[in-house]
Amino acid sequence: MTALNTVLVVGAGLAGTATAIRLAEAGVAVDLAEIKPDVAALGSGITLQGNALRELRALGVWDAVSAAGYPFDVTGIRAPDPGGTVVAEIPDARTGGPELPAVMGMPRPVLARILADRAVESGAKLRLRTTHTALAQDADGVDVTFSDGSTGRYDLVVGADGIRSAVRGLLGIDPGIRPTGMGIWRAFGPRPDSVTRTDLFYGGPSYIAGYCPTSEDTLYAYVVEDARDRSGLSPAERLATMRELASAYHGPWDAVRATLTDASRISYTLFETHVLPAPWHRGRVVLIGDAAHSCPPTLAQGGAQALEDAAVLTELLLAAETLDDRLWTGFADRRCARAAAVVEASVQLGQWLLDREQGDVPGLIGRIAALVVQPA
Ligand SMILES: Cc1cc2nc3c(=O)[nH]c(=O)nc-3n(C[C@H](O)[C@H](O)[C@H](O)COP(=O)(O)OP(=O)(O)OC[C@H]3O[C@@H](n4cnc5c(N)ncnc54)[C@H](O)[C@@H]3O)c2cc1C
């Protein structure tokens, strides 16, 4: 018998929807509060590694994910020269197991819709445009006041509300988020036929320029540069800046660049990172996903780690008769070191580029693949 009857999950991203699906399927009454009016509002693409795909399959959404996304098993390394010369073709590790693709690109809004629909189908109550304004816990539960004035009492609150987590703020935890020194231009648009996998172009005016197919019809493309305050640029200036930076890259980039015409499809984001030391809970409130740890997307593991947090947390919760130290120690033991290793490696990859240092990139990627191929 589980220790839980009622759970509030704050945030309907990857971590939150995955938690809601697993708990609701087991018969727990789950409220899933999401501050945005729509989970599938505009967004770019996401690169999902095999271990993320393994978690998505366990959530019962593999058919929908594989029908919508674009799988591939090799990443190309290209030079910033006039031909976009292929320097290497590196097989990606199948970290979700041999029967799943190594990597899959997806439009973020499509993935968000699939997961939110599955959560609702599983019995979770999705409350859009809703957040909490107060949390007060005692030994037996958590009293929550919501932004619409309603209240609820829950056995557990899961803070899955992302890197700027308000739940974490209410717990009084300083996450120590720090910029890593890089910023990324991203654009979402049509997929030219020549883009059938991720290619990474190292060097030129930026650190990395690349793209990832996200469906038969779409891709996202990105250029990574030194972190800058780009907030003052108008939409037209943002488009011009990304086009200018991308003009150094050729091969399939030529066709991608030709599609960069819509300023509303361009975004700029600074890379940031943090890892909370264990434990990630305070009493009956626990933090998971980017609320607990965040990494620059150099290994494209943030989504996978969020899904793994949800998988391990819900497995332990559903097996426990009480929310006791044993449960929380088990959660910390299985998640903290693994997530921290992924964050550290993701930061290191970027740091080598910033320091213009060669670094053992294949060794590091191999180490993380060997770690995450193991079930969480
Ligand atoms: C530029 C960039 C590129 C990335 N690319 C990749 C990639 O290719 N592959 C990959 O695996 N990872 C990538 N990541 C990391 C990945 O996006 C995150 O690790 C992942 O989204 C974390 O999921 P999450 O559910 O913890 O948080 P989020 O996805 O941030 O979801 C949090 C949810 O909570 C909601 N919310 C926030 N505050 C509140 C509140 N107060 N009340 C209610 N709801 C709230 C938000 O609206 C959101 O829906 C990238 C990150 C960045 C910055």
Side-chain angles (χ1 to χ4, degrees):
M1 205 188 90
T2 170
L4 298 172
N5 292 309
T6 55
V7 172
L8 170 65
V9 180
V10 182
L14 292 173
T17 49
T19 303
I21 291 166
R22 286 168 180 274
L23 293 180
E25 274 194 328
V28 177
V30 178
D31 281 351
L32 176 56
E34 168 57 48
I35 201 166
K36 288 188 300 202
D38 178 6
V39 290
L42 272 186
S44 183
I46 185 163
T47 303
L48 296 165
Q49 302 293 343
N51 58 320
L53 301 178
R54 179 174 59 206
E55 297 305 332
L56 292 169
R57 183 179 60 186
L59 293 169
V61 295
W62 174 243
D63 287 349
V65 165
S66 60
Y70 195 106
F72 53 94
D73 295 300
V74 170
T75 293
I77 307 295
R78 289 181 183 253
D81 62 19
T85 305
V86 177
V87 178
E89 292 182 317
I90 301 171
D92 296 301
R94 289 183 178 247
T95 54
E99 64 291 354
L100 288 169
V103 189
M104 179 170 277
M106 294 242 357
R108 275 185 186 256
V110 173
L111 180 60
R113 170 71 59 215
I114 289 170
L115 286 168
D117 286 352
R118 180 88 181 106
V120 171
E121 191 186 293
S122 305
K125 187 171 163 204
L126 175 60
R127 299 176 61 178
L128 296 169
R129 288 194 183 84
T130 304
T131 188
H132 57 283
T133 53
L135 302 177
Q137 57 173 314
D138 54 44
D140 303 319
V142 190
D143 291 310
V144 180
T145 307
F146 292 98
S147 45
D148 62 4
S150 62
T151 57
R153 184 169 171 83
Y154 300 89
D155 295 327
L156 177 75
V157 172
V158 179
D161 50 346
I163 189 167
R164 308 272 169 237
S165 171
V167 174
R168 191 181 60 211
L170 284 180
L171 293 177
I173 298 173
D174 174 2
I177 295 169
R178 67 174 183 86
T180 70
M182 289 173 156
I184 186 168
W185 290 96
R186 283 184 298 169
F188 190 73
R191 181 183 73 87
D193 288 344
S194 52
V195 172
T196 56
R197 65 181 188 205
T198 285
D199 284 322
L200 298 173
F201 295 65
Y202 283 93
S206 309
Y207 292 107
I208 308 172
Y211 39 72
C212 173
T214 48
S215 70
E216 277 302 316
D217 303 327
T218 59
L219 61 58
Y220 74 106
Y222 44 91
V223 180
V224 179
E225 62 171 11
D226 280 314
R228 276 168 222 202
D229 180 2
R230 298 290 203 176
S231 58
L233 298 185
S234 69
E237 287 168 335
R238 285 148 49 112
L239 176 60
T241 306
M242 184 161 180
R243 283 184 66 94
E244 169 62 23
L245 288 170
S247 67
Y249 305 102
H250 301 286
W253 249 115
D254 290 327
V256 172
R257 192 172 45 257
T259 70
L260 297 181
T261 53
D262 180 354
S264 71
R265 295 296 187 97
I266 310 266
S267 65
Y268 186 72
T269 312
L270 297 177
F271 286 178
E272 296 178 306
T273 187
H274 79 291
V275 187
L276 296 188
W280 295 346
H281 77 288
R282 299 290 185 273
R284 289 175 171 267
V285 182
V286 61
L287 302 170
I288 60 170
D290 273 15
H293 47 81
S294 64
C295 48
T298 46
L299 285 166
Q301 270 289 333
Q305 293 309 300
L307 290 168
E308 289 186 1
D309 284 351
V312 173
L313 177 66
T314 54
E315 179 197 316
L316 295 174
L317 287 172
L318 292 171
E321 286 177 17
T322 53
L323 295 185
D324 56 15
D325 283 350
R326 199 156 146 255
L327 180 149
W328 294 122
T329 305
F331 180 58
D333 286 352
R334 281 176 61 185
R335 288 309 303 155
C336 295
R338 179 162 164 139
V342 169
V343 170
E344 194 186 321
S346 304
V347 172
Q348 178 66 78
L349 274 178
Q351 195 60 47
W352 279 330
L353 290 169
L354 284 162
D355 295 343
R356 307 205 186 281
E357 196 184 311
Q358 187 57 43
D360 179 13
V361 175
L364 181 147
I365 290 176
R367 239 183 12 259
I368 293 302
L371 175 69
V372 301
V373 74
Q374 306 298 329

